[in-house]
Amino acid sequence: MLNNFMYQDVVYGIPSMANVQGIIYNKKVFEEAGVTELPKTPDEFLTALAAIKEKTDAIPLYTNFAAGWTMTAWDAYIDGGATGDPDFANTGITKGQNPFSDRGDGTGPYAVYNVLYEAIKRGLTEDDPTTTDWEGSKGKLNNGEIACMALGSWSVVQIQQAGDNAADIGYMTFPISVDGKQYISAGPDYCYGINCNSSRDEQIAAMCYIKWLVEESGFAQGEGGLSIVIGDEYPDALKTLDGVELVINNPSAAGEENLFNDINNDSELGLNVSGAVPKEIVEEAVAGTKTMEEMTAEWNEKWTAAQESNGVEH
């Protein structure tokens, strides 16, 4: 978890905690719908959402489209968690050929984005995505009016505290399996640094505080995150992830530290920044104007052009 602020093998920031990228859900709603085992593939997930629509009054999947920033959660699933490969962010997306194409095995970026597209096409989301309400959605998930949402594990505590049904809130891996095994992307949250221009006494005090906060305070577990201390237990809400392998994306190669950002910016797809791709999916699925194949072809074309302009050759 130390890669975010590492430069030339020196770590400049200690993570406050780690987050994982999955689906937050209401356990009671899933049980009422007869979903007794957590879905492990896109097809199983969509089947579960259909059962929720048929057998309960809950909105199966709430997009939180209107908030905008919430849509970037979908971008966070497309690399290690969707492939089991900690190098996929670099080799498969940054430098890979046509990374948004359908891999044909229910894995990778296409499989992630297609879940959103199909859920909307099949009427398994709210009626009008433009009217979603982020603050209100927390209470609705807590009380069972919403079955699940695509959000990082940082959201667990907020939604548990949004009503009287904290025990009903659970967290699952994004429903993708690679050769029968599930993975979940993990990465550090905000990092702590110490001012090198502070006095020696202030630096020692700051280091003692950070060590206490990270190693002893229980802050990470209290926020629904993972402690970065090796061997610490998962918080209760994430116990369902026992047996699921965490995938932490490897850093880019030396000299390529800005390559993804440059390609991402030049392509104007805004992965993990603007939510442009999942927003387009919602808009096109609602309007019925473009298929997933048409959209992925356009994304690949933009990405390839940006790769070429930044010196990536296939």
Side-chain angles (χ1 to χ4, degrees), residues 49 65 123 246 256 262:
L49 296 183
F65 174 80
L246 300 182
E256 297 180 353
D262 291 341

Side-chain angles (χ1 to χ4, degrees), residues 137-194:
S137 74
K138 292 187 275 190
K140 288 182 178 179
L141 181 54
N142 183 287
N143 67 24
E145 293 180 61
I146 291 171
C148 66
M149 297 192 288
L151 293 169
S153 59
W154 56 266
S155 64
V156 170
V157 172
Q158 289 192 36
I159 291 170
Q160 285 177 329
Q161 294 176 345
D164 299 326
N165 307 292
D168 291 342
I169 304 305
Y171 201 76
M172 72 173 85
T173 309
F174 193 87
I176 282 180
S177 295
V178 182
D179 296 327
K181 184 173 177 58
Q182 283 197 290
Y183 300 84
I184 192 165
S185 294
D189 204 303
Y190 289 103
C191 293
Y192 299 113
I194 297 173

Side-chain angles (χ1 to χ4, degrees), residues 62-67 126-133 282-283 286:
Y62 196 76
T63 66
N64 256 313
F65 174 80
E126 68 281 342
D127 292 333
D128 183 0
T130 64
T131 62
T132 61
D133 171 44
V282 173
E283 292 164 352
V286 169

Side-chain angles (χ1 to χ4, degrees), residues 73-286:
W74 292 89
D75 295 332
Y77 305 131
I78 67 174
D79 42 48
T83 63
D85 182 0
D87 289 311
F88 186 77
N90 296 313
T91 60
I93 296 178
T94 304
K95 294 188 284 188
Q97 188 170 9
N98 296 327
F100 302 102
S101 295
D102 185 357
R103 293 155 61 100
D105 60 358
T107 70
Y110 180 95
V112 172
Y113 292 134
N114 193 52
V115 165
L116 177 60
Y117 183 82
E118 285 296 323
I120 296 169
K121 291 288 287 185
R122 300 182 192 187
L124 303 175
T125 58
E126 68 281 342
D127 292 333
D128 183 0
T130 64
T131 62
T132 61
D133 171 44
W134 160 241
E135 288 299 331
S137 74
K138 292 187 275 190
K140 288 182 178 179
L141 181 54
N142 183 287
N143 67 24
E145 293 180 61
I146 291 171
C148 66
M149 297 192 288
L151 293 169
S153 59
W154 56 266
S155 64
V156 170
V157 172
Q158 289 192 36
I159 291 170
Q160 285 177 329
Q161 294 176 345
D164 299 326
N165 307 292
D168 291 342
I169 304 305
Y171 201 76
M172 72 173 85
T173 309
F174 193 87
I176 282 180
S177 295
V178 182
D179 296 327
K181 184 173 177 58
Q182 283 197 290
Y183 300 84
I184 192 165
S185 294
D189 204 303
Y190 289 103
C191 293
Y192 299 113
I194 297 173
N195 190 338
C196 64
N197 297 312
S198 299
S199 70
R200 180 65 176 165
D201 285 350
E202 288 173 334
Q203 290 178 5
I204 292 171
M207 179 62 76
C208 289
Y209 173 70
I210 291 171
K211 282 180 66 65
W212 170 80
L213 196 66
V214 170
E215 298 176 5
E216 299 178 23
S217 71
F219 169 78
Q221 291 90 335
E223 290 297 312
L226 301 181
S227 167
I228 68 164
V229 178
I230 295 172
D232 276 6
E233 290 189 358
Y234 283 17
D236 288 342
L238 302 184
K239 289 290 176 65
T240 54
L241 302 182
D242 281 349
V244 175
E245 186 169 329
L246 300 182
V247 180
I248 303 167
N249 289 336
N250 287 330
S252 54
E256 297 180 353
E257 291 85 356
N258 293 320
L259 184 58
F260 170 80
N261 287 338
D262 291 341
I263 294 171
N264 198 27
N265 290 336
D266 290 350
S267 71
E268 298 184 348
L269 294 186
L271 301 182
N272 291 311
V273 179
S274 67
V277 167
K279 287 177 184 176
E280 182 182 9
I281 290 170
V282 173
E283 292 164 352
E284 298 297 344
V286 169

